């Protein structure tokens, strides 16, 4: 009987440790940006690089209007900015971490140029991949996207600004450990196993008492 109890105890401990290891799921809530750049060298390359290189924040699971990601840059009567939007059907930003790698869906990221009440915007986002440091939560991301002046292309059939550019971002990921509820199957398993062990223990005790009598 002692061996049965020992097996039950070991099984319960292993099950508990296994559940505890999976009870915490890492969720990325936002990316705190500390810098960035691009290989784009068209007419907006300088101001775009300045925007990407600013400190800022990209929140996961929601769209951010101007100036929530980074502070806009004003030159004359024009204002340049970064924002996320679902106007093209892209999902809001999301991120997944797997060991030392990170993947972020930035398909809804836009570069905008506004003047007064008018706004022209170019989608510059994509599925970004990069490295993640589990100890410091620091990351480095990059993705590719064709960036150019769509209006010029529609009028003339081509655009000297259209080019495949590579974009880079770095910073620190903000993580939120979210507890996972105890699985019902685990509770049933432990309860049932405890009942079986208790029944065996009671039968053995009753048998020993009969022999002694």
């Amino acid at each position: 009987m002692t061996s049965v109890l020992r097996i039950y105890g070991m099984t319960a401990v292993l099950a508990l440790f296994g559940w505890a290891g999976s009870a915490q799921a890492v969720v990325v809530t936002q990316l705190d940006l500390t810098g960035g750049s691009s290989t784009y060298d068209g007419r907006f390359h300088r101001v775009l690089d300045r925007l990407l290189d600013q400190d800022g924040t990209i929140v996961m699971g929601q769209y951010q209007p101007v100036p929530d990601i980074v502070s806009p840059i004003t030159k004359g009567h024009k204002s340049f900015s970064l924002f996320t939007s679902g106007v093209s059907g892209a999902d809001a930003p999301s991120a997944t971490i797997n060991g030392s790698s990170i993947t972020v869906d930035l398909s809804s990221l836009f570069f905008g140029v506004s003047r007064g009440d008018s706004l022209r915007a170019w989608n510059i986002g994509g599925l970004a991949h990069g490295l993640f440091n589990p100890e410091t939560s620091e990351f480095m991301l990059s993705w590719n996207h064709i960036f150019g002046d769509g209006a010029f292309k529609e009028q003339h059939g081509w655009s000297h600004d259209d080019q495949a550019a590579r974009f880079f971002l770095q910073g620190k990921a903000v993580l939120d450990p979210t507890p996972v509820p105890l699985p019902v199957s685990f509770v049933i398993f432990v309860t049932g196993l405890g009942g079986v062990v208790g029944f065996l223990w009671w039968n053995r005790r009753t048998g020993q008492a009969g022999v002694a009598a």
Side-chain angles (χ1 to χ4, degrees):
M1 187 59 202
T2 302
S3 60
V4 175
L5 288 173
R6 185 181 295 116
I7 293 173
Y8 165 69
M10 292 178 63
T11 303
V13 169
L14 290 174
L16 282 170
F17 272 102
W19 170 77
S22 62
Q24 299 295 323
V26 177
V27 177
V28 181
T29 59
Q30 67 182 48
L31 302 178
D32 290 339
L33 309 178
T34 59
S37 62
S38 75
T39 61
Y40 172 69
D41 61 0
R43 58 176 177 149
F44 296 124
H45 75 278
R46 292 180 180 176
V47 68
L48 179 57
D49 276 355
R50 286 179 58 190
L51 284 171
L52 293 172
D53 200 37
Q54 290 190 103
D55 291 345
T57 301
I58 297 181
V59 180
M60 301 294 102
Q62 68 181 57
Y63 301 112
Q64 293 175 266
V66 180
D68 287 3
I69 296 180
V70 296
S71 299
I73 296 175
T74 301
K75 296 178 65 176
H77 298 291
K78 294 182 179 180
S79 181
F80 305 88
S81 60
L82 295 177
F83 62 94
T84 52
S85 172
V87 66
S88 64
D91 294 330
S94 61
T96 57
I97 293 175
N98 184 12
S100 59
S101 64
I102 183 172
T103 301
V104 183
D105 186 352
L106 294 175
S107 302
S108 59
L109 183 63
F110 283 81
F111 165 71
V113 181
S114 59
R115 181 172 182 175
D117 294 331
S118 65
L119 170 67
R120 296 182 63 193
W122 294 261
N123 180 262
I124 62 170
L127 188 61
H129 302 276
L131 299 176
F132 175 76
N133 187 332
E135 296 182 357
T136 63
S137 296
E138 294 176 309
F139 67 85
M140 296 181 64
L141 292 171
S142 66
W143 70 95
N144 296 322
H145 194 90
I146 296 178
F147 181 41
D149 192 337
F152 187 92
K153 185 175 182 179
E154 289 178 3
Q155 294 175 11
H156 302 277
W158 65 280
S159 172
H160 61 277
D161 277 344
D162 283 354
Q163 59 178 271
R166 193 164 183 83
F167 297 84
F168 305 88
L169 284 176
Q170 65 182 29
K172 189 172 183 178
V174 178
L175 309 179
D176 176 29
T178 303
V180 177
L182 182 67
V184 175
S185 58
F186 173 81
V187 177
I188 295 174
F189 168 75
V190 174
T191 304
L193 188 57
V196 171
V197 172
F199 176 74
L200 292 175
W201 176 81
W202 176 257
N203 279 351
R204 182 177 177 84
R205 183 179 179 185
T206 303
Q208 288 177 343
V211 171

